[in-house]
Amino acid sequence: MDFNLILTSFSQVFAPSTLLYTLIGAAGGILIGSIPGLTATMGIALLVPFTYGLDFIPGVAMLLGIFCGGMYGGSIAAILIHTPGTPAAAATVLDGYPMGQKGEPGRALTVSLFSSFCGGIIGALVMTFLSPTISKAALKFGPAEFFALAVFGLSVIVSISGKSIVKGLISACFGLLIGTVGMDKTCAYLRFFKLRGLYDGIPFIPALIGLFAVSEVIANFEHMLKSAPAKKVDDGAMIANPVLRYLRSVIANVCPKKDDLRRIFKHIIKGGLIGTFIGSIPGAGGDIAAFVSYSEAKRSSKRPEEFGKGSPEGIAAAECANNGCSGGAMIPMLALGVPGDSNTAVLMGAFIMHGFQPGPMMYVEHLDIVYSVFGALLTANLAFLIVGMFGVKLFAKVISVQRYFLIPCILILSLVGAYSINQSMFDVYFAIVMGVIGYLLQKYGFSLSPILLALILGPLCESNIRRYMQIVDGRFSLIFTRPICLIFFGLALISLITAVLNHRKIERREAEQRAKEAEQEEKIQE
């Protein structure tokens, strides 16, 4: 590796004009990512034509700013309004929203910002130094390996099932069932409902918006009718006029408190590496990486009973992994010419538009450009950190808005987001239907996250196992001769066993806590 060339290439990225474009991209990405239904992919696609008049490095730096900013921005909506701004932030809802409801939205956003930045930096560094090696490993993934990865992802369902594993599994089965709706990808047979809007399957973003945003609106509306008191939020977040005091508070937004930092540190390292690895597999994305990292964090945590109730470890694991995917997804695009996800597919179009064909020859003919892209990704993560640290306290104030103002705004914003995907009213109606279903499921103790994970992984699992069975002429047993498949199956088994053991540990601790409280009440009465 030519370190002199790396330094020369990085110097282009740190030019004032390039840094300005990166900051603009990061701010736009955070804004787009925080609005349910508007994804980073959409933001990149909209701005690709505008980069045509720019030099290659500033143009790509702005697009990478949108990419990284959008990945972090999704956590803002997840924490504040119980709606993942992007699919990759779905796991952040599990602990981010409960922490916000406990009156600590600023703390949740700070942990999310710091973890997102660390995950992005880990992904960018791994991409810089190990991209050719990792890309070779990614080439070994075929239908069998993708099926095994999906099975491993589905094993996470037990960890995110909430208080009842049985209800969590029922939710997952419901998600798998509705995931089969639409045109069969193998034989083009239309399954179940013959509605035009469902020909391509369940519209994922409207389903996500309905399950989390619309259901939450319905639940809050019910609380308003019952005159439930609004929860108080710590307003100490907004520091008044003195400039030095304000700047001190801005800097404090970047780094979590010592206790939180001590708890999340190991999960940040693991989450960043998990996200980078899964992101480097073409077709896998930040949503899968976030759930896998969350499950691993819960498995290895000393306080698994706090997960789902506002644990900083859960937020850190999810956010670090989905932002680590940004670097991971760039690896197959640059090294192989194969986009790792939808974001890098659009970025690849920008490369081609500027006259550069991603692939192995990029490392031979345009190595300086490759290193400049590495540097641009690092600065993109730094840019969203800067924008985010000035916005954390402002974002946190959203939750303190009166319900009768906030709820209609959330509903309108969510439905507009559902409509914006395909400009279809069918998606709006579908989001409302899923919202009613989500509200009823939550009311009776069913977790919504297993439905979402099943919707993500179900089609991936089905399509790849059918492809594999066609390749091997129906001999399923051959899958156990593939080393990568055996690794994923082993990890799935370990995940299931540890999740069940963790669940029993949590039940035991809760029973002990109830017994202590009962004893204290008896002593008080005596």
Side-chain angles (χ1 to χ4, degrees):
M1 182 171 283
D2 190 341
F3 287 97
N4 288 327
L5 184 58
I6 290 178
L7 293 175
T8 304
S9 301
F10 275 31
S11 65
Q12 299 180 45
V13 176
F14 287 98
S17 59
T18 304
L19 291 176
L20 177 62
Y21 283 121
T22 308
L23 280 170
I24 292 171
I30 290 174
L31 178 63
I32 290 170
S34 63
I35 300 174
L38 301 184
T39 62
T41 308
M42 185 183 298
I44 295 170
L46 288 172
L47 282 184
V48 163
F50 291 96
T51 65
Y52 190 70
L54 300 174
D55 290 337
F56 177 71
I57 299 303
V60 167
M62 184 165 69
L63 295 178
L64 288 174
I66 295 171
F67 184 11
C68 296
M71 294 296 282
Y72 162 66
S75 69
I76 296 172
I79 291 167
L80 298 181
I81 61 174
H82 196 245
T83 308
T86 60
T92 309
V93 172
L94 297 173
D95 281 288
Y97 185 70
M99 186 179 285
Q101 290 298 290
K102 289 194 297 186
E104 299 178 302
R107 179 190 176 199
L109 288 167
T110 299
V111 171
S112 171
L113 176 63
F114 181 76
S115 304
S116 297
F117 171 70
C118 291
I121 292 296
I122 290 171
L125 290 175
V126 171
M127 181 186 78
T128 302
F129 297 105
L130 297 175
S131 55
T133 304
I134 294 177
S135 61
K136 289 177 184 177
L139 275 178
K140 296 181 180 179
F141 273 71
E145 285 74 20
F146 276 111
F147 168 72
L149 174 63
V151 170
F152 172 46
L154 288 171
S155 70
V156 172
I157 285 169
V158 177
S159 296
I160 60 174
S161 292
K163 293 182 179 180
S164 172
I165 292 179
V166 173
K167 287 184 176 180
L169 292 175
I170 292 172
S171 294
C173 289
F174 173 70
L176 290 171
L177 180 64
I178 63 176
T180 61
V181 171
M183 192 79 73
D184 188 301
K185 299 296 187 295
T186 305
C187 59
Y189 177 77
L190 190 61
R191 299 185 291 196
F192 300 107
F193 308 103
K194 295 185 178 180
L195 296 174
R196 187 176 297 276
L198 296 177
Y199 280 8
D200 292 330
I202 296 294
F204 180 70
I205 299 294
L208 182 150
I209 289 171
L211 283 172
F212 289 95
V214 179
S215 66
E216 188 66 18
V217 166
I218 296 172
N220 272 277
F221 185 69
E222 182 185 36
H223 293 156
M224 286 171 62
L225 292 177
K226 293 180 180 179
S227 300
K231 296 182 179 180
K232 294 183 179 179
V233 178
D234 180 13
D235 280 341
M238 289 298 287
I239 298 177
N241 294 325
V243 176
L244 291 177
R245 192 176 177 190
Y246 174 72
L247 289 175
R248 199 180 306 129
S249 72
V250 166
I251 294 170
N253 293 342
V254 179
C255 191
K257 296 176 181 177
K258 288 183 180 178
D259 182 53
D260 286 342
L261 194 59
R262 188 167 55 250
R263 290 178 60 180
I264 68 176
F265 180 76
K266 66 177 182 179
H267 301 301
I268 284 176
I269 302 299
K270 286 192 294 183
L273 295 175
I274 289 171
T276 304
F277 173 70
I278 292 180
S280 67
I281 302 170
D287 38 16
I288 299 175
F291 278 111
V292 170
S293 179
Y294 182 89
S295 176
E296 166 56 25
K298 186 175 181 180
R299 183 198 67 78
S300 61
S301 174
K302 295 179 181 178
R303 309 180 218 188
E305 69 278 3
E306 293 184 12
F307 279 68
K309 300 176 183 176
S311 169
E313 296 169 83
I315 299 172
E319 280 302 299
C320 198
N322 64 35
N323 282 270
C325 273
S326 59
M330 294 288 289
I331 292 172
M333 188 201 80
L334 288 172
L336 304 173
V338 178
D341 60 6
S342 58
N343 295 298
T344 49
V346 181
L347 280 170
M348 186 172 172
F351 273 69
I352 295 170
M353 186 179 73
H354 282 273
F356 298 101
Q357 177 63 54
M361 294 307 294
M362 278 281 289
Y363 284 80
V364 178
E365 298 174 351
H366 304 291
L367 189 57
D368 57 330
I369 295 295
V370 172
Y371 288 150
S372 294
V373 172
F374 294 163
L377 188 62
L378 286 167
T379 55
N381 283 283
L382 184 60
F384 87 70
L385 177 72
I386 293 170
V387 175
M389 74 180 184
F390 280 97
V392 162
K393 301 304 181 185
L394 181 62
F395 301 148
K397 295 296 287 185
V398 170
I399 204 171
S400 64
V401 176
Q402 293 293 329
R403 277 184 180 175
Y404 49 81
F405 285 128
L406 187 61
I407 292 172
C409 290
I410 293 172
L411 181 61
I412 292 170
L413 196 63
S414 300
L415 296 182
V416 168
Y419 177 81
S420 67
I421 302 300
N422 298 309
Q423 289 78 49
S424 168
M425 283 303 298
F426 179 86
D427 289 351
V428 176
Y429 301 141
F430 185 79
I432 294 171
V433 170
M434 291 301 292
V436 173
I437 293 172
Y439 163 74
L440 293 173
L441 288 172
Q442 277 192 308
K443 190 169 185 177
Y444 291 100
F446 291 87
S447 178
L448 300 181
S449 295
I451 300 176
L452 189 64
L453 187 60
L455 275 175
I456 294 167
L457 293 174
L460 179 69
C461 190
E462 180 196 5
S463 59
N464 281 289
I465 189 59
R466 292 180 69 178
R467 286 194 196 105
Y468 179 69
M469 294 296 279
Q470 288 175 343
I471 292 170
V472 299
D473 198 26
R475 292 173 292 173
F476 180 77
S477 59
L478 291 178
I479 201 170
F480 297 106
T481 64
R482 304 178 73 92
I484 295 177
C485 294
L486 291 176
I487 291 171
F488 279 125
F489 288 146
L491 290 172
L493 189 60
I494 292 170
S495 176
L496 285 171
I497 293 171
T498 53
V500 171
L501 293 176
N502 261 339
H503 189 75
R504 290 181 178 176
K505 185 195 295 183
I506 291 168
E507 287 182 336
R508 186 169 62 252
R509 288 183 179 179
E510 288 179 346
E512 290 173 357
Q513 184 64 28
R514 286 194 296 269
K516 286 180 182 178
E517 290 175 356
E519 288 178 7
Q520 289 176 354
E521 287 181 3
E522 288 178 3
K523 289 180 181 179
I524 291 171
Q525 290 176 356
E526 290 175 358

